[in-house]
């Protein structure tokens, strides 16, 4: 008789309680108290009291930009978003680096070691890359299918009006297998608040896809863009299928305007994605969460032409948020992990979201008593389980 359970985790710490976790078919089959009878297991792992958390989700990364593992490139980009775009394009023309074969693979390895088992990556689609980077990342996704769930956004980094070939490339990207249509700063890059959004929403409707739009634009223009995306989302019937990344303009809104926009975001089912940036650009994330807005965390740029930093783990991202928003209690610290677990699972369909029967068996095991300790001590997991099998563990 074959074993009914592929894997059993013994002495697992779930919220301070010792439990047994049974895994079968890549999902959590049951959670039982110690000593409670259960089916036979093909394999058992003694967690020895390790805290078991759901696999973490990174809702915004740029795999195709990453330079990890490549010769050091001094970070020279500065100034406007447009200046950074041109700097990166010049680098790509000069180097022709096969990023997905080197930098992206190295980044995935680091992310997995940090407990990330699901992510959403943006992939540049423009006059320099065409759909070449997308083809590389699609291949990478296939090779990593057993260890990482990867969702792909076709991202027009150079704009649409400013880069006329981009719209046709985006259309091709959808046919190639990209999951979502991406967008970028209608005003700041294309100088037109309406036409780029017309194209993006038309593409989304034509291909039956959702959208994830970068908005760095600040001030009244940026706030109006967010309001316009809310209206378009409702008109297109795309409730729950649109995300806005960054939304820096919300950092400048007074509480009344913030409340009105938050209400619109909730009604339209629009998710905000933030890397919790430094400076004055970070939206008031705790206040937005109080207002009911779904907020997910992402790493954004890692060791690339935009950012030399290598903060790749969502535990580290939660600690950045704790520092920025002065979160000190265990409850406040623990709630920060929701932005990399429960919220992306609910709002984006990314990651297991919880440790519970029926959900995918994507798990991270930490030597810690509680989630707050994981964040404060910036712990790395001792073992990462993806789809019911060990994907990484401390040697």
């Amino acid at each position: 008789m074959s074993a009914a359970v592929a894997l059993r985790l013994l002495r697992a710490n779930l919220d301070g309680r010792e439990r047994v976790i049974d895994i079968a078919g890549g999902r959590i089959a049951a959670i039982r108290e110690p000593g409670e009878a259960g089916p036979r297991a093909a394999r058992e792992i003694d967690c020895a009291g390790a805290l078991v958390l759901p696999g973490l989700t990174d809702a915004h990364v740029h795999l195709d930009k990453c330079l990890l593992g490549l010769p050091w490139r001094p970070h020279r980009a500065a100034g406007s978003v447009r200046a950074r775009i041109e700097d990166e394009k010049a680098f790509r023309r000069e180097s022709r680096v096969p990023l997905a074969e080197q930098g992206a693979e190295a980044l995935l390895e680091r992310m997995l070691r940090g407990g990330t088992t699901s992510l959403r990556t943006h992939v540049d689609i423009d006059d320099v890359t065409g759909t070449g980077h997308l083809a590389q990342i699609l291949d990478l996704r296939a090779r990593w299918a057993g260890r990482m769930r990867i969702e792909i956004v076709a991202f027009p980094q150079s704009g649409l009006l400013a880069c006329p070939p981009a719209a046709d490339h985006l259309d091709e990207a959808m046919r190639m297998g990209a999951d979502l249509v991406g967008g970028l700063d209608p005003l700041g890059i294309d100088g037109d608040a309406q036409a780029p959004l017309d194209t993006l929403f038309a593409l989304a409707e034509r291909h039956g896809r959702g959208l994830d739009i970068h908005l760095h634009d600040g001030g009244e223009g940026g706030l109006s863009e967010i309001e316009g995306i809310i209206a378009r989302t409702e008109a297109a019937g795309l409730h729950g299928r649109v995300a806005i990344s960054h939304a820096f303009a919300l950092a400048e809104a007074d509480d009344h305007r913030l409340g009105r926009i938050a209400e619109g975001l909730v009604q339209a089912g629009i998710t905000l994605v933030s890397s919790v940036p430094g400076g004055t650009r970070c939206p008031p994330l705790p206040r937005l969460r109080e207002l009911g807005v779904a907020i997910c965390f992402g790493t954004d740029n890692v060791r690339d032409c935009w950012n030399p930093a290598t903060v790749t783990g969502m535990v580290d991202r939660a600690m950045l948020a704790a520092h920025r928003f002065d979160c000190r209690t265990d409850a406040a610290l623990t709630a920060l992990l929701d932005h990399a677990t429960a919220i992306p699972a609910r709002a984006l369909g990314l990651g297991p979201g919880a440790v519970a029967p029926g959900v995918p068996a994507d798990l991270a095991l930490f030597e810690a008593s509680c989630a707050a300790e994981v964040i404060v001590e910036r712990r790395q997991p001792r073992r990462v389980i993806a789809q019911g099998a060990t994907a990484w563990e401390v040697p």
Side-chain angles (χ1 to χ4, degrees):
M1 181 183 296
S2 62
V5 173
L7 177 63
R8 174 166 294 148
L9 304 183
L10 304 171
R11 293 200 294 164
N13 174 2
L14 291 184
D15 298 323
R17 299 167 298 173
E18 183 180 330
R19 291 291 184 266
V20 174
I21 302 174
D22 286 347
I23 296 172
R27 293 182 175 270
I28 295 176
I31 297 177
R32 297 179 288 103
E33 294 190 9
E36 183 180 336
R40 292 186 303 110
R43 183 187 178 204
E44 294 183 342
I45 294 175
D46 185 356
C47 297
L51 179 69
V52 179
L53 296 178
L56 307 176
T57 293
D58 187 326
H60 185 123
V61 67
H62 292 267
L63 289 177
D64 69 317
K65 295 179 183 289
C66 186
L67 304 177
L68 282 172
L70 300 172
W72 177 258
R73 176 190 185 270
H75 184 68
R76 63 177 185 253
S80 68
V81 172
R82 187 185 298 276
R84 292 171 184 261
I85 291 170
E86 292 306 317
D87 176 76
E88 180 179 49
K89 289 173 74 171
F91 169 73
R92 285 178 169 165
R93 290 189 186 98
E94 296 162 4
S95 66
R96 299 293 182 183
V97 174
L99 295 175
E101 297 175 12
Q102 298 181 57
E105 193 101 38
L107 179 53
L108 284 176
E109 293 282 359
R110 287 200 186 193
M111 296 173 76
L112 183 65
R113 293 199 301 268
T116 295
T117 58
S118 299
L119 63 85
R120 173 179 286 187
T121 184
H122 299 256
V123 178
D124 283 10
I125 307 289
D126 62 22
D127 53 337
V128 174
T129 65
T131 57
H133 280 199
L134 175 62
Q136 293 180 55
I137 298 301
L138 285 168
D139 178 66
L140 187 71
R141 174 166 70 178
R143 288 190 281 112
W144 273 73
R147 291 175 287 172
M148 187 80 69
R149 300 172 192 271
I150 299 175
E151 192 171 67
I152 298 173
V153 183
F155 176 48
Q157 174 70 90
S158 299
L160 294 172
L161 304 183
C163 181
D168 287 340
H169 289 325
L170 282 179
D171 193 55
E172 181 185 357
M174 295 302 105
R175 293 193 297 271
M176 289 173 64
D179 301 294
L180 297 105
V181 178
L184 173 71
D185 297 339
L187 282 171
I189 299 302
D190 285 323
D192 188 320
Q194 304 302 327
L197 292 177
D198 289 342
T199 298
L200 297 177
F201 275 83
L203 279 167
E205 291 189 73
R206 182 185 314 152
H207 292 280
R209 308 292 168 82
L211 299 102
D212 192 324
I213 303 172
H214 286 55
L215 285 185
H216 308 91
D217 288 339
E220 179 58 35
L223 294 173
S224 295
E225 285 173 337
I226 295 171
E227 292 168 335
I229 291 170
I230 291 170
R232 288 172 181 271
T233 298
E234 293 186 316
L238 288 172
H239 185 280
R241 302 184 66 189
V242 175
I244 298 174
S245 290
H246 307 318
F248 291 158
L250 293 177
E252 304 172 52
D254 61 38
D255 197 61
H256 177 69
R257 183 78 174 277
L258 189 74
R260 285 197 293 124
I261 291 176
E263 182 179 6
L265 292 169
V266 172
Q267 289 180 349
I270 295 175
T271 302
L272 293 186
V273 184
S274 177
S275 62
V276 197
T280 60
R281 303 174 301 165
C282 187
L285 303 180
R287 176 63 177 145
L288 287 163
R289 180 169 175 169
E290 288 176 3
L291 293 169
V293 178
I295 301 164
C296 301
F297 287 166
T299 58
D300 201 6
N301 300 98
V302 176
R303 183 63 65 76
D304 58 19
C305 294
W306 291 71
N307 193 338
T310 55
V311 180
T312 60
M314 300 315 294
V315 169
D316 286 333
R317 195 62 49 179
M319 189 60 205
L320 289 175
H323 176 72
R324 181 171 191 108
F325 297 110
D326 197 27
C327 299
R328 296 173 182 267
T329 67
D330 279 14
L333 290 164
T334 301
L336 292 173
L337 278 184
D338 290 347
H339 300 289
T341 55
I343 296 173
R346 182 178 72 246
L348 304 179
L350 279 173
V355 181
V359 306
D362 294 349
L363 305 167
L365 281 60
F366 294 85
E367 286 189 0
S369 61
C370 61
E373 183 181 358
V374 170
I375 295 172
V376 169
E377 297 292 342
R378 297 171 60 194
R379 291 281 169 82
Q380 290 280 100
R382 303 291 295 175
R383 183 189 297 268
V384 178
I385 293 173
Q387 301 173 47
T390 296
W392 183 82
E393 62 183 314
V394 174

